[in-house]
Amino acid sequence: TRPTRRFTCAESRGLMSAWGGAAPGRTFVPMEAGDRYAPCVQLIIRFVVNGIALWIAALIVDGVDIEASTTTGEVLTVLAIAAVFAVVNIVVRPIVKILSLPLYVITLGLFTFVVNALMLLLTSWIADLLDVPFHVDGFWDALLGGLVISFVSWLINLVLPS
C-alpha cells in the first residue's frame, strides 16, 4: 500500500479539482493525528448542526417563523438562514462580546443569552433584506429561540464525535 499524506482542506480541494475527482490511490486524512475530521468537514458539520438547531427553534418557538410553502423551500430556507447566522456569528459576535465584556462580568455570563437573542434578531433582519422567508417577532421570542438553538446545538454536539 502507498503511504498516506496528510492534506489540509485547501490542498485536498485543489488536488480533487486538479484530478477531476477522487485521486486514485490517495487517501485524504485530517491534518492532525488526533482530529477526527478535516477542518472543512468540521465547518460543514457545524453548519448543519446550526441549521438543525434553527429549524427546531422555528418549530418550538411561536415567534420564530420559517415561512416556506414546500419542504424543499423549507430546507433551502434553513440552509440560507444557517449561512446568514454563521456569518453573523463569525463577524459581529466577537465585536459585541468585546464591547460588552463588562456586562458579561457583572451578570456572571448571563448576558450571553441577550447577545444570542440580538444575533438571532440581526439574522432575521438580514434575512428580510435578502428576501429569505425567516422572521423573529421580537426580543423575547429571540431570547427563547436563542436558548433553544443553544440547547439543541449542545445536545447534537454531545452526540457527535469531536
Side-chain angles (χ1 to χ4, degrees):
T1 64
R2 288 183 172 179
T4 59
R5 177 176 168 239
R6 298 189 182 285
F7 294 95
T8 64
C9 185
E11 286 176 327
S12 65
R13 194 171 35 250
L15 290 173
M16 294 292 278
S17 63
W19 286 324
R26 297 285 183 165
T27 305
F28 296 100
V29 293
M31 279 299 292
E32 299 295 323
D35 287 349
R36 182 148 176 105
Y37 300 107
C40 60
V41 175
Q42 290 176 352
L43 187 65
I44 292 168
I45 290 171
R46 192 171 295 192
F47 179 76
V48 170
V49 166
N50 279 336
I52 292 169
L54 284 161
W55 177 67
I56 291 174
L59 290 176
I60 293 175
V61 180
D62 287 334
V64 179
D65 299 316
I66 296 174
E67 300 159 355
S69 57
T70 64
T71 304
T72 305
E74 189 169 344
V75 169
L76 292 175
T77 301
V78 166
L79 291 175
I81 297 164
V84 171
F85 193 64
V87 170
V88 166
N89 279 326
I90 290 170
V91 176
V92 178
R93 187 182 184 99
I95 297 167
V96 171
K97 282 181 112 173
I98 290 171
L99 293 176
S100 61
L101 187 62
L103 292 173
Y104 277 100
V105 173
I106 291 170
T107 63
L108 301 175
L110 291 176
F111 194 70
T112 303
F113 299 122
V114 174
V115 171
N116 288 345
L118 294 174
M119 295 303 107
L120 194 57
L121 282 170
L122 182 59
T123 300
S124 174
W125 180 72
I126 293 171
D128 285 342
L129 291 177
L130 298 174
D131 291 328
V132 176
F134 174 72
H135 184 70
V136 179
D137 288 337
F139 175 77
W140 295 110
D141 292 321
L143 186 68
L144 187 56
L147 286 171
V148 170
I149 291 168
S150 297
F151 181 72
V152 170
S153 296
W154 174 74
L155 277 179
I156 293 172
N157 285 322
L158 278 180
V159 176
L160 292 175
S162 59

